[in-house]
Amino acid sequence: MPSELFTPSVQHALEVAGIFVFAISGALLAVRKNFDVFGMAVLAEVTALGGGVFRDLVIGAVPPIAFTDLGYFLTPLVATAIVFFLHPEVERITASVGVFDAAGLGLFCVEGTMKAHDYGLGLTSSVTLGMATAVGGGVLRDLLAHEVPSLLRWDRDLYAVPAIVGSSIVALLLHFDALTAATSALAAAVAFAVRLAAMRFGWRAPRAWNRRSTATEET
């Protein structure tokens, strides 16, 4: 079983690491939006825990682990404190948000897919929930920050696709009984790399074929 790949302490450490990097991205966006410290904490918590809470509710893992493990709740607050005192210069915040977000995307899509499969979902459903785990918190973060979620914007680099790639790799590994600690880490690294490459080279999903509208997306 995927849950047996790691010892409980290692599994917990990986999940906390994913929570931390997502929380960093949420807190950094709050700084860019000129939110106060409470707003920073809210965005950090929502970004870090939103996708996982959604996944747990869908698969019936209730109450969600975010509400039963104090470390899950406190980690975003630690990230908020770090960003509050040590946030990068304003001109570097956008790039920093993207890098931390990509790291969380890779970690969470793999962890979400594995947990969904552990709860008896098929491979396709597990991939879907793996993606939702990875992008759900970011969607909530953007909505609270009064931005159109990156997931939905045609003028933004690929966001959901890297998560789908990572989750799909996990599903294939499960299908061929080849999922190990090393291969699951590789799947997370691939998702992270695809997201960074999309940011670096401006990869975007195509819009409607023969689209005639001249409407543009607000930035």
Side-chain angles (χ1 to χ4, degrees):
M1 294 291 288
S3 60
E4 298 171 352
L5 293 176
F6 307 100
T7 64
S9 59
V10 172
Q11 179 73 20
H12 188 268
L14 290 173
E15 291 174 352
V16 169
I19 288 171
F20 181 77
V21 293
F22 259 24
I24 288 286
S25 76
L28 283 173
L29 180 59
V31 171
R32 183 162 62 87
K33 286 289 187 176
N34 202 30
F35 288 3
D36 63 17
V37 65
F38 181 76
M40 291 172 62
V42 169
L43 279 196
E45 293 280 359
V46 167
T47 307
L49 304 177
V53 168
F54 173 78
R55 176 205 61 217
D56 287 351
L57 291 175
V58 170
I59 65 178
V62 291
I65 194 170
F67 296 98
T68 60
D69 189 317
L70 186 60
Y72 281 47
F73 178 79
L74 293 179
T75 297
L77 298 182
V78 173
T80 299
I82 292 173
V83 173
F84 182 82
F85 290 106
L86 302 174
H87 67 85
E89 296 83 355
V90 174
E91 64 271 14
R92 297 179 57 189
I93 286 178
T94 300
S96 298
V97 169
V99 172
F100 281 113
D101 193 75
L105 193 80
L107 288 168
F108 273 33
C109 72
V110 171
E111 191 270 340
T113 304
M114 291 164 56
K115 186 169 183 177
H117 188 266
D118 272 351
Y119 273 76
L121 271 67
L123 295 180
T124 301
S125 298
S126 296
V127 169
T128 302
L129 277 184
M131 180 196 70
T133 303
V135 306
V139 170
L140 292 174
R141 174 200 64 204
D142 291 344
L143 289 174
L144 288 175
H146 301 291
E147 292 193 350
V148 177
S150 298
L151 180 69
L152 305 178
R153 295 188 61 163
W154 66 267
D155 62 336
R156 293 294 176 88
D157 307 324
L158 295 179
Y159 189 71
V161 171
I164 294 174
V165 170
S167 297
S168 297
I169 292 174
V170 173
L172 288 173
L173 292 169
L174 286 166
H175 179 73
F176 291 105
D177 197 24
L179 187 65
T180 66
T183 56
S184 63
L186 177 62
V190 170
F192 176 63
V194 171
R195 173 59 179 156
L196 288 184
M199 294 165 56
R200 173 65 177 83
F201 300 108
W203 295 347
R204 298 173 183 175
R207 288 185 285 169
W209 186 257
N210 288 331
R211 178 178 176 273
R212 298 180 181 277
S213 172
T214 59
T216 58
E217 182 75 16
E218 294 182 0
T219 57

